[in-house]
Amino acid sequence: MGVRFGSERTTGWRATIAVAMSNYIEAGSIIAIATSLSLWQERFGLDDLAVGLLAALSANAFGAAAGAAIGGPLCDRYGRKFIYTYDLLLYMLGVLLAVFATSFGMLLTAFVLTGIAVGAGVTASWTYIAEEAPHDKRAAHVGAAQLAWSIGPTLGYLLAVVAAPFGLLGSRLIFLHLFVVAAVTWWVRRGLAESRLWRDRKDDPGQQVTFLSSVRGLFSRRTNLLAMLFLFGVYALWNAVAGQAGIFQPRVYDAVGLTSVTEQYLLQVLVWGCTSVATYFGFMLLADRVSRRLLYCAGAALGVLAWAALIYAPANTATLLVFAVGWGVSSGIGAQAFYGLWASELFATRYRASAQGVLFLAARVLVGLLSVGFPALLTQIGLRGLGTLILGFLIASLLIGTIWAPRTQGKSLQQIERERYGTTPESTGGAVVGS
């Protein structure tokens, strides 16, 4: 039996933190893979294509995409608790296979399983947190998931520095730590109650949905289609860059001349440390109070400047520090934090998790397609050769999120749903996006 948090229906920060651990586990998985890829490559004699395949089918890309595609509709059909009760069991199996992997096939299976579990778990966690949060503090609670996501790489790279002298054994131990964290999180989550909004919708006979009807409803309403296009532009385009950075950043540093593994990892600790600080002081404390449009624009613009410096400025310590601080702060108040918030706000309860599943699927497929060829392209044409593509994605995400930022701040999810779907006589029936 899981921990009970003092009342039959757990609300507030304790539930938020317990569910937000999906994001720590997701990011931890990506960093565990990123810091071990070269070691696995040497151990199994893999070429760049095989390394790209490992990255593409992992929690960073196709694996997570498959999990989101399955988990989102299941979450709307059977409840948020259904997913976060069982997804971590699959995750623990996957990381254990990585701990004991003795072949490329075994390792690939491990990465696919962890990816599927991550994709299902993250969509459920963002949905649950937003539904249970007070409407005037929703950004703060959703930001806790982003905070957990940034703490994962911070600790992951610190562990990689400590484990580096042990080679591949050290990497296996990092995967083992993720198994322990997942086991504790799974046990704690068993004491959480179901989302109140989902339960109320389930108890209404007119609101019942099936696995397929939830997905079908997404694509049959113009309101949903516009929201998905907007969020794809905000998140998937940004994540096309962030996904490569997450899994291949040590190789990117190699390309600009920073070859010391320890220095690469410590620079990443700085990146993710800045992300953690910016998430708390920038997003969690401000996104419920100040203009979200301006906050998003500032974060996205800083990300563009950080990557432009890394790609085109002279490769020296100052440039690397500018990139680390700029990209770190940008990630804390940028696309992923706002995506987690807006994706929960812009869809009705019956579609909410399915929408996140479809969007997460699209974003991770894009990352996966790029991941297959990214190591080879980085070797062949260098970071400067990839600069136009990287900056193009980031600038497009900046413009889309700034121009069409929705006006949902301070409103309850029920109020937003009435305004967007016209479910009551007083509804405006109009779309919030871009208004």
Side-chain angles (χ1 to χ4, degrees):
M1 182 177 181
V3 173
R4 304 295 297 184
F5 288 119
S7 65
E8 183 177 352
R9 187 173 75 85
T10 303
T11 59
W13 284 107
R14 291 173 293 183
T16 293
I17 292 169
V19 177
M21 287 304 295
S22 288
N23 292 267
Y24 174 90
I25 290 166
E26 177 206 8
S29 301
I30 294 171
I31 302 312
I33 295 169
T35 56
S36 64
L37 273 178
S38 296
L39 297 172
W40 295 116
Q41 184 174 18
E42 181 181 353
R43 171 66 176 81
F44 298 134
L46 308 178
D47 58 19
D48 281 344
L49 181 60
V51 171
L53 190 63
L54 284 172
L57 294 178
S58 71
N60 198 50
F62 289 132
I70 298 168
L74 284 177
C75 192
D76 282 333
R77 176 67 180 89
Y78 296 106
R80 290 46 171 138
K81 187 173 182 177
F82 173 83
I83 297 297
Y84 63 65
T85 296
Y86 296 108
D87 69 307
L88 289 183
L89 297 176
L90 182 63
Y91 179 89
M92 286 186 279
L93 173 61
V95 291
L96 271 186
L97 285 175
V99 171
F100 297 106
T102 57
S103 67
F104 173 74
M106 190 173 178
L107 185 66
L108 186 62
T109 302
F111 286 6
V112 170
L113 291 180
T114 55
I116 291 172
V118 161
V122 169
T123 52
S125 72
W126 282 334
T127 301
Y128 181 90
I129 290 170
E131 290 179 345
E132 291 292 285
H135 68 268
D136 59 341
K137 296 180 180 178
R138 191 160 51 244
H141 281 256
V142 171
Q146 174 75 4
L147 183 62
W149 179 77
S150 60
I151 290 174
T154 305
L155 294 182
Y157 277 110
L158 282 174
L159 288 173
V161 171
V162 174
F166 302 99
L168 189 57
L169 174 61
S171 295
R172 294 180 190 271
L173 292 176
I174 292 174
F175 280 104
L176 183 61
H177 120 272
L178 291 172
F179 173 85
V180 173
V181 172
V184 172
T185 302
W186 174 81
W187 183 71
V188 170
R189 281 185 183 177
R190 295 182 65 198
L192 297 180
E194 181 56 85
S195 160
R196 175 180 53 82
L197 285 181
W198 182 86
R199 192 171 66 242
D200 290 346
R201 195 269 306 158
K202 178 178 179 293
D203 292 339
D204 183 349
Q207 294 292 318
Q208 294 294 323
V209 297
T210 65
F211 182 97
L212 293 178
S213 68
S214 180
V215 176
R216 188 165 54 245
L218 280 175
F219 296 96
S220 63
R221 303 194 65 153
R222 181 173 180 270
T223 301
N224 291 335
L225 292 173
L226 288 174
M228 286 193 291
L229 287 173
F230 166 72
L231 289 167
F232 181 86
V234 167
Y235 180 62
L237 298 182
W238 171 87
N239 195 56
V241 176
Q244 307 312 311
I247 204 77
F248 295 124
Q249 193 64 38
R251 293 173 181 245
V252 171
Y253 290 144
D254 272 333
V256 297
L258 182 66
T259 58
S260 167
V261 173
T262 299
E263 291 178 2
Q264 290 174 357
Y265 291 172
L266 290 176
L267 195 60
Q268 285 299 90
V269 171
L270 177 59
V271 170
W272 292 107
C274 289
T275 301
S276 300
V277 172
T279 297
Y280 181 76
F281 290 102
F283 189 82
M284 294 177 69
L285 296 187
L286 296 180
D288 288 308
R289 303 177 184 178
V290 305
S291 168
R292 290 178 179 175
R293 187 190 305 272
L294 292 179
L295 187 62
Y296 174 87
C297 181
L302 186 58
V304 172
L305 294 175
W307 274 97
L310 185 66
I311 294 167
Y312 299 116
N316 54 39
T317 301
T319 297
L320 291 170
L321 290 176
V322 166
F323 168 78
V325 174
W327 181 239
V329 172
S330 169
S331 298
I333 57 174
Q336 181 156 291
F338 276 99
Y339 166 77
L341 179 63
W342 287 334
S344 298
E345 292 178 335
L346 296 181
F347 298 96
T349 302
R350 66 188 301 169
Y351 308 127
R352 188 167 292 125
S354 296
Q356 293 201 32
V358 170
L359 287 163
F360 205 71
L361 165 68
R364 293 310 172 98
V365 165
L366 181 56
V367 171
L369 292 174
L370 291 173
S371 294
V372 172
F374 190 85
L377 285 173
L378 193 60
T379 299
Q380 293 167 11
I381 64 176
L383 184 61
R384 183 161 295 193
L386 289 168
T388 301
L389 181 65
I390 291 172
L391 294 180
F393 280 135
L394 293 177
I395 291 171
S397 176
L398 160 65
L399 294 175
I400 291 168
T402 300
I403 294 171
W404 289 288
R407 295 186 295 179
T408 52
Q409 190 169 2
K411 300 176 182 180
S412 69
L413 293 180
Q414 296 94 325
Q415 179 184 353
I416 296 169
E417 183 172 334
R418 288 195 300 269
E419 291 178 354
R420 289 181 54 73
Y421 292 88
T423 54
T424 64
E426 69 270 20
S427 169
T428 65
V432 178
V433 173
S435 61

PDB file of all heavy atoms in Angstrom, residues 28 255 276 346 352 375:
ATOM      1  N   GLY A  28      16.566  12.437 -16.331  1.00  0.00           N
ATOM      2  CA  GLY A  28      17.642  11.580 -15.852  1.00  0.00           C
ATOM      3  C   GLY A  28      17.982  10.485 -16.839  1.00  0.00           C
ATOM      4  O   GLY A  28      19.161  10.140 -17.046  1.00  0.00           O
ATOM      5  N   ALA A 255      32.861  19.447 -30.927  1.00  0.00           N
ATOM      6  CA  ALA A 255      32.914  20.126 -32.226  1.00  0.00           C
ATOM      7  C   ALA A 255      33.436  21.555 -32.119  1.00  0.00           C
ATOM      8  O   ALA A 255      33.973  22.092 -33.093  1.00  0.00           O
ATOM      9  CB  ALA A 255      31.527  20.131 -32.867  1.00  0.00           C
ATOM     10  N   SER A 276      17.463  25.319 -13.457  1.00  0.00           N
ATOM     11  CA  SER A 276      16.735  25.122 -12.207  1.00  0.00           C
ATOM     12  C   SER A 276      16.432  26.451 -11.522  1.00  0.00           C
ATOM     13  O   SER A 276      15.304  26.705 -11.074  1.00  0.00           O
ATOM     14  CB  SER A 276      17.548  24.221 -11.263  1.00  0.00           C
ATOM     15  OG  SER A 276      17.794  22.958 -11.845  1.00  0.00           O
ATOM     16  N   LEU A 346      -5.429  24.630 -22.837  1.00  0.00           N
ATOM     17  CA  LEU A 346      -6.110  24.868 -24.106  1.00  0.00           C
ATOM     18  C   LEU A 346      -7.007  23.736 -24.570  1.00  0.00           C
ATOM     19  O   LEU A 346      -7.622  23.835 -25.635  1.00  0.00           O
ATOM     20  CB  LEU A 346      -5.078  25.179 -25.199  1.00  0.00           C
ATOM     21  CG  LEU A 346      -4.263  26.461 -24.988  1.00  0.00           C
ATOM     22  CD1 LEU A 346      -3.294  26.683 -26.144  1.00  0.00           C
ATOM     23  CD2 LEU A 346      -5.166  27.669 -24.820  1.00  0.00           C
ATOM     24  N   ARG A 352      -7.651  16.384 -22.858  1.00  0.00           N
ATOM     25  CA  ARG A 352      -6.414  17.015 -22.383  1.00  0.00           C
ATOM     26  C   ARG A 352      -5.204  16.099 -22.493  1.00  0.00           C
ATOM     27  O   ARG A 352      -4.165  16.481 -23.060  1.00  0.00           O
ATOM     28  CB  ARG A 352      -6.607  17.495 -20.942  1.00  0.00           C
ATOM     29  CG  ARG A 352      -5.451  18.343 -20.410  1.00  0.00           C
ATOM     30  CD  ARG A 352      -5.839  19.041 -19.118  1.00  0.00           C
ATOM     31  NE  ARG A 352      -6.851  20.060 -19.371  1.00  0.00           N
ATOM     32  CZ  ARG A 352      -8.027  20.112 -18.756  1.00  0.00           C
ATOM     33  NH1 ARG A 352      -8.350  19.184 -17.852  1.00  0.00           N
ATOM     34  NH2 ARG A 352      -8.886  21.061 -19.039  1.00  0.00           N
ATOM     35  N   PRO A 375      24.659  12.782 -35.331  1.00  0.00           N
ATOM     36  CA  PRO A 375      26.078  12.525 -35.071  1.00  0.00           C
ATOM     37  C   PRO A 375      26.925  12.561 -36.348  1.00  0.00           C
ATOM     38  O   PRO A 375      28.025  13.133 -36.356  1.00  0.00           O
ATOM     39  CB  PRO A 375      26.087  11.134 -34.432  1.00  0.00           C
ATOM     40  CG  PRO A 375      24.721  10.954 -33.875  1.00  0.00           C
ATOM     41  CD  PRO A 375      23.819  11.673 -34.825  1.00  0.00           C
TER      42      PRO A 375
END
